[in-house]
Amino acid sequence: MSVLVNKDSKIIVQGFTGGEGTFHAGQMIEYGTQVVGGVTPGKGGQIHLDKPVFNTVAEAVSITGADVSIIFVPPAFAADAIMEAADAGIKVIVCITEGIPTKDMITVKAYLSDKDCRMVGPNCPGVMTAGEAKVGIMPGFIFKPGRIGIVSKSGTLTYEAVDQITKAGLGQSTAIGIGGDPIIGTSTKEAVELLMNDPETDGIIMIGEIGGSMEAEAARWIKENGTKPVVGFIAGETAPKGRRMGHAGAIVGGKDDTAAAKKAIMRDCGIHVVDSPAHIGIKMAEVLS
Amino acid sequence: MNIHEYQAKQILKSYGVAIQEGVVVNDNAMTESSVNQLKEDTGTDWVVVKAQIHAGGRGKGGGVKLAKNMEEAKQRVNDILGMQLVTPQTGPEGKKVNKVLIAQDVYYPGDSEPKEYYMSVLLDRALGKNVIIYTTEGGMDIEEVAETHPEKIWKEWINPATGLLPFQARKIAFNLGLTGVAMKGMVKFVNALYNAYVDTDSSMFEINPVLKTSDDKIIAVDAKVDLDDNALYRHKDHAALRDESEEDPTEVEAKKFNLNYVNLDGNVGCMVNGAGLAMATMDIIKLSGGEPANFLDVGGTASAETVEAGFRIILKDPNVKAILINIFGGIVRCDRVAQGVVDAYQNIGNIPVPIIVRLQGTNAVEAKKIIDESGLEVRSAILLQEAADAVSEVLS
């Protein structure tokens, strides 16, 4: 089961023949992910990593039956790549690209509003269902199939949580890296909702950071609809106001988007919040026992 | 990317937004000709001397002064140029003023009272749409207005498919209580402002105050513009507006090595791969009894070169008493990072503070062995908790 991607997902790679696309597509295939081909405009007809290359996403979909796309296209062309995937009928679009202008993402968000698809990212590590499909750039070997779902804005902090869950003797269903940009396709709340409705997931880890209001929105949803334990962490307790901490969206604007304010709301909504990022795994093990 | 008021106003003007005119100077010898020029161009009698730094609240710190004649103008420029201006946004050390804007006086008397408003354009992250925020309470800190009079703040969301519609611009003008010529002026102002915001790929415009003059003109008296760094590649002329003297010199140097560095006040430096993990590492330093001295994301490839550059940047800060390196090796192999740390350490020579290296992920055990056998004063850790404990131990 799990969510978004699994062993039956047919995945294409946009930006397939570029450096990033080649390296990560190779890693995905090595993990056993069902990569059915890739798209690089102008290179259609070639074979790359033993898979067919197509000029357009529409052609790739009609020939391979792909339903998932992962995007490694450079920032100036990434918005177009997302919209091409949506237009071609791709159901799950995972955009890894970092550095897409916000104006382009406003256009993408509006374009996707009446399409039957879900975008994850951009500026994210991707989506991974342990033991089934790696649609992203995360290291596969730290995952172990299990029943804990993970939602996170950050890359390496997601790996930290995954690793702690594995070391705590548990395992992961699906890890969703939602991305750290101001405009992203799948919000914290939407990702949590997917995992809450997944019969193969018993507990959820929700990792956020300073900036924006997505964690508070997710927390309120969990309070009303939650049926599984949620362990939460917010990075950036020590971040100063008004300074951007790496991610384009990680900036404290007012008093509501500080780590302390988010954690307080999450605690009020029944989430098991840890102050130390070293306690994510043991907290989940403790809550489940 | 932040730019100066005078640069922001030039951009606005090029889009047809009416502004308080001015001339920028960096030397008092230019004052007389600048004031004369301004008088000729605008007919202004008095002038306002405004410090150009990347921080708000300049008036409160004495960085904005009225001058009623040439002698006063020269005195004001002399006072402000070169001063260390402290405002609520600069921190106690303040910022050096390298340029001043000599601007026309726009509060001249006339048929009606001048009136100040507030207007900003920014992204509503939750909706993924731009929003125009405005209030009749101009000239004040918007957060204060939001606190005390939330009912006086209006928001107008813009549909990305249509852009700002004429009725929306009219609504804004009417909500601000304007009529006649001033109302029409505000409609034109809002249209030009929104057009400029979209076309320049800005992240934020804040015009505080927007002024209705005594003869019913609508103009931007101040302008704070934040440009989207990710879009600078398609605005080469804007990239040239960067004023590195306004930025922390260490942060500027870090950028040259593709390191994302933010200087903080604490005593424990850190070097991490990934922004989220970097913030989490700062938090764990605090929980271990220290205070983070910096944010430093070395990005996806932690090579010997980046580690060495990171070391050199962190060590510029004399408050640093210890350094924590926290790398989660996914694609990057930990043993290579460990070798990079050892090489960087040896290249720099003597590092006077204790170093804690936490390497987790691919080949973490081999990495720990490399650190432990290097003979250097470096503590190694694999689990995040072990690193936290090592920080506590070093500080106690």
Side-chain angles (χ1 to χ4, degrees), chain A residues 103-104 156 160 236 243 249, chain B residues 125 198 234 251 273 283 358:
Chain A
K103 186 162 80 178
D104 296 4
T156 43
E160 184 68 47
R243 298 301 308 269
Chain B
R125 290 172 60 162
V198 171
R234 55 190 179 203
E251 292 176 19
N273 64 334
D283 295 346
R358 184 267 180 152

Side-chain angles (χ1 to χ4, degrees), chain B residues 149-164:
Chain B
H149 292 289
E151 77 286 353
K152 290 189 175 175
I153 294 181
W154 283 288
K155 293 183 179 180
E156 194 68 34
W157 284 272
I158 314 301
N159 183 333
T162 60
L164 176 71

Side-chain angles (χ1 to χ4, degrees), chain B residues 31 35 47 49 67 69-78:
Chain B
T31 302
V35 170
V47 297
V49 179
N69 55 48
M70 188 63 79
E71 193 189 336
E72 270 186 24
K74 285 181 183 167
Q75 188 57 51
R76 300 301 188 211
V77 173
N78 186 56

